[in-house]
Amino acid sequence: MNRFNVRKVAVLGAGVMGAQIAAHLVNVGVPVVLFDLPAKEGPKNGIVTKAIEGLKKLKPAPLGVPEDAARIEAANYEEHLAKLAECDLVIEAIAERMDWKLDLYKRIAPALAPHAIVASNTSGLSITKLGEVLPEEIRPRFCGVHFFNPPRYMALVELIPTPATRPEVIEQLETFVTTTLGKGVVHAKDTPNFIANRVGIAGMLATMIEAEKFGLSYDVVDDLTGKKLGRASSGTFRTADVVGLDTMAHVIKTLQDNLADDPFFASYATPPVLAKLIEQGALGQKSGAGFYKKVGKDILRLDAAKGEYVSAGGKAEPIVERMLKKAPAERLKLLRESSNPQAQFLWAILRDSFHYCAVHLADIADSARHIDFAMRRGFGMQQGPFELWQAAGWKQVAQWVKEDIDAGKALCRAPLPDWVFDGRDGVHSPEGSWSASQGRYLPLAPLPVYARQLFPETLVGWNAADPLKSGTEEFRNDEIRVWSLDGEVLIASITAKLHLISPDVTQGLLKAVEIAEAKYKGLVIWSPDDVFSAGANLEALMPVFMKSGAKGIAPEEKKLQDAMLRIRYASVPVVSAIRGIALGGGCELAVYSARRVAAMESYMGLVEVGVGLIPGGGGLAYIARRAAEMASAGNAGADVFKFLTDGFTNAAMAKVGTSAIESRKLGYLLWSDVIVPHKDELLYVALQQAKAMFDSGYRAPAKALIPVAGRSAIATIKGQLANMRDGGFISEHDFHISALIADVVCGGEVDAGSLVSEEYLMALERKHFCSLLENPKTQERIMGMLQTGKPVRN
């Protein structure tokens, strides 16, 4: 397959979805032109300009850093249609009106590049009908590309071909959406609401029906159908409020208007309470009230019977919570056989989802894989419906569902399809996932893009390789595994809880460097989950502290600092592959590596002040060194202090980069580091980086003395801190901690421009770290964090 080079993208429509799709495109470095109607008053690009400005204020932030909004080019249909000829991909994202979309397609068709892919971001309109208005030569390059809101954070993108769409167009778009945008693609058939919204909204409607049947309040239902059930924490009714009740009603209407022959049609009726809330203008979170309403700091929930808001906070009963913690087979059996209304409700909604997905699999998806991944990625489920059914025992659960259908307990009388009872043990197998329409198991598409996912997201039954049991193992202890997948680059995977750095982890990393230098081209530090490292393991050092106080901790701190220097000066490149959180010691481990490869959604920062400490694994020495490097790069005689202030502030305020892009801005990632949009490509890219660095003749940086800002800079910072303390912005203890940070990053009581070693800075860092351990205020903060997980302000 030829590579489809997307040099520029046009997004048509600067509404909520269009603007945020454009934002995500600039996040990943793709030039984008955002179009909308010409404004009736003022500058003609006014609508788009306002939308771009609005991106800076949205939460969660659609942009990695707000200033990247300036990289979105504004355009309007009256003046700038010629710009479409520069675009390789055109994504239409205007309002969900068939007539408006068709009119726009007629208008843009003459201006499109002859090779451009054209795609609609509709959430449920017929892609085939939309494509019929396009000229014959464009139809093979037209399809649906349905992003989920918010586009930056939601992993799901549905691709929907029409009968005229060329297969290679879908393959090209799938490759772009996967690698460049970092999304998980599912293939949907051109049916109303496609897969995720079809199954998801049908499931929400079923939940509302069953909740009323069993007399459960909205807050109780949300507690039962949230994290306890392995789903998004917002549950059902809170999710409806977040999505918008009018938006939900629109999706429901699509079902009602197009699925009159669906055996589940009766369950698509708009719930009376939903209709009433919309009539009253209570549209959910955006209008301030829906199923819930916030009054001051209190969250109230609607009591439908009374028609008024009452105190929320209803929870699952303890006995039901215990059932939900059991393994799938026992969990479903307990729920089905219990007389508890909450348990009966949960069995009912799970049965309804199994029933619905089995009946509709052939109609809406090529295989069961697409339904399960759609529900995982689009609705936050830990397991898709088929996956849970298979894990709980396919044959037994199928029999239970059949009995409920026969007894009239299900949402409709439609029988389960014959293939459910053909002796199978599930729909996912090592061969692939079951296609009811084709009557066979379909493997993952053999696209080159998926070869980059060495350990991709998997499903029950696929028997996929476990990364922590794969490859050739070189070393292991209780908290780290050192291994190789390809015989060329060594991998160190921290296995401790939250990948906290303990003495065992430090030992394992040192061993990994030793082995890598002897036998391999490099070392990659990578683990197969959403944590790189949450920092140092304070609890592991507690027995040492209780026995010997800070004096006992000092040698352990030195071992950690020495390990950081060993990594920095290793004779082969050490690459940190960062995914999820890299905080405190995890951030220090990353910055002492030769290179960093970070997933887009990575969170990096030196956060030790939250527990009353300063960074103790070399983080402050790194800030001093980077300031000196930047000063030297800018001007041989430049003042180090002006390059130091941002680093000091980041550490003193525990600033965390909430994206890899922001972490680069904070200095924890460099421009030479690589940002990877798709988390499952992280290991592949990191291994390639290590090999390329080695093959290019990698040598460790030469050790050098570091010019520091000295005592005059410390005095300046302390003066500013005193003003903040005296103004009530920081506490006395905050002042003390920040002054110690200043002392380290400025090099202590020396003259400005003095040359010091990294070991000298680390000794200062270690001295102040240990002194804080004996401070009662810091001890309060540490104990508070260990007991509650929340920072103590004192």
Side-chain angles (χ1 to χ4, degrees), residues 326-567:
K326 302 293 185 182
E330 186 180 359
R331 184 192 322 155
L332 266 60
K333 184 175 189 295
L334 289 170
L335 292 173
R336 185 172 189 269
E337 294 177 356
S338 174
S339 59
N340 184 291
Q342 292 186 7
Q344 291 178 336
F345 159 76
L346 286 170
W347 161 251
I349 64 169
L350 292 172
R351 173 205 65 217
D352 294 342
S353 72
F354 301 152
H355 186 195
Y356 191 89
C357 290
V359 167
H360 288 298
L361 174 58
D363 305 326
I364 67 174
D366 285 342
S367 78
R369 170 174 72 90
H370 296 296
I371 288 183
D372 278 348
F373 276 155
M375 299 315 293
R376 273 200 202 176
R377 297 164 179 168
F379 277 78
M381 292 185 177
Q382 288 177 6
Q383 286 186 310
F386 284 124
E387 195 177 15
L388 174 58
W389 181 351
Q390 182 164 334
W394 184 269
K395 292 172 183 173
Q396 178 61 79
V397 174
Q399 185 58 37
W400 287 339
V401 175
K402 180 181 184 302
E403 289 172 9
D404 277 13
I405 295 170
D406 293 344
K409 295 179 180 178
L411 290 176
C412 75
R413 292 279 187 177
L416 290 171
D418 291 342
W419 58 262
V420 171
F421 300 102
D422 64 5
R424 69 180 55 246
D425 290 315
V427 290
H428 303 301
S429 76
E431 303 167 61
S433 295
W434 179 251
S435 171
S437 57
Q438 298 184 39
R440 63 189 180 100
Y441 287 91
L442 296 182
L444 189 70
L447 298 180
V449 65
Y450 292 120
R452 295 167 59 91
Q453 299 181 8
L454 300 179
F455 295 100
E457 187 178 357
T458 186
L459 291 164
V460 166
W462 277 4
N463 297 342
D466 180 347
L468 296 180
K469 294 178 182 176
S470 298
T472 303
E473 189 170 293
E474 292 276 11
F475 173 82
R476 176 195 282 273
N477 64 28
D478 289 342
E479 298 193 335
I480 195 167
R481 180 180 190 243
V482 180
W483 57 291
S484 179
L485 192 60
D486 59 7
E488 292 189 85
V489 178
L490 197 61
I491 303 167
S493 298
I494 303 172
T495 57
K497 182 181 178 182
L498 293 176
H499 305 172
L500 296 173
I501 300 171
S502 67
D504 278 354
V505 170
T506 303
Q507 178 211 9
L509 290 171
L510 288 171
K511 186 71 176 175
V513 172
E514 179 187 325
I515 297 168
E517 287 181 327
K519 299 170 59 177
Y520 292 88
K521 289 185 173 182
L523 170 65
V524 167
I525 303 171
W526 170 85
S527 298
D529 56 23
D530 285 324
V531 179
F532 177 72
S533 172
N537 190 336
L538 295 176
E539 275 190 286
L541 296 176
M542 195 64 73
V544 177
F545 180 73
M546 297 301 289
K547 181 181 179 181
S548 308
K551 289 181 180 178
I553 298 297
E556 297 300 327
E557 275 299 294
K558 187 171 190 309
K559 287 178 188 174
L560 178 61
Q561 293 173 334
D562 288 347
M564 296 298 177
L565 291 175
R566 181 76 178 89
I567 287 167

Side-chain angles (χ1 to χ4, degrees), residues 163-299:
T165 309
R166 289 201 311 265
E168 60 266 30
V169 166
I170 294 295
E171 291 178 359
Q172 290 167 343
L173 196 52
E174 184 165 2
T175 297
F176 173 74
V177 167
T178 301
T179 286
T180 306
L181 302 188
K183 301 303 176 188
V185 167
V186 303
H187 290 226
K189 295 188 178 182
D190 190 11
T191 55
N193 295 335
F194 312 129
I195 297 175
N197 276 341
R198 173 77 174 269
V199 175
I201 295 299
M204 290 176 75
L205 288 169
T207 299
M208 292 177 181
I209 291 168
E210 303 290 1
E212 186 174 0
K213 186 188 300 182
F214 290 99
L216 302 181
S217 62
Y218 303 142
D219 48 356
V220 168
V221 169
D222 281 349
D223 193 53
L224 288 167
T225 60
K227 284 187 176 179
K228 291 183 175 70
L229 196 61
R231 297 183 178 181
S233 57
S234 51
T236 301
F237 293 98
R238 200 177 300 278
T239 295
D241 273 358
V242 171
V243 169
L245 303 191
D246 53 340
T247 302
M248 185 178 176
H250 172 80
V251 179
I252 293 170
K253 190 172 189 308
T254 303
L255 298 175
Q256 295 168 348
D257 291 347
N258 295 281
L259 295 170
D261 296 332
D262 189 322
F264 289 84
F265 184 76
S267 68
Y268 299 155
T270 305
V273 64
L274 179 64
K276 188 172 182 181
L277 285 168
I278 293 171
E279 186 183 329
Q280 294 169 347
L283 305 180
Q285 189 170 279
K286 61 187 172 187
S287 68
F291 289 106
Y292 293 90
K293 182 179 182 180
K294 189 172 184 182
V295 179
K297 293 184 178 180
D298 297 327
I299 302 292

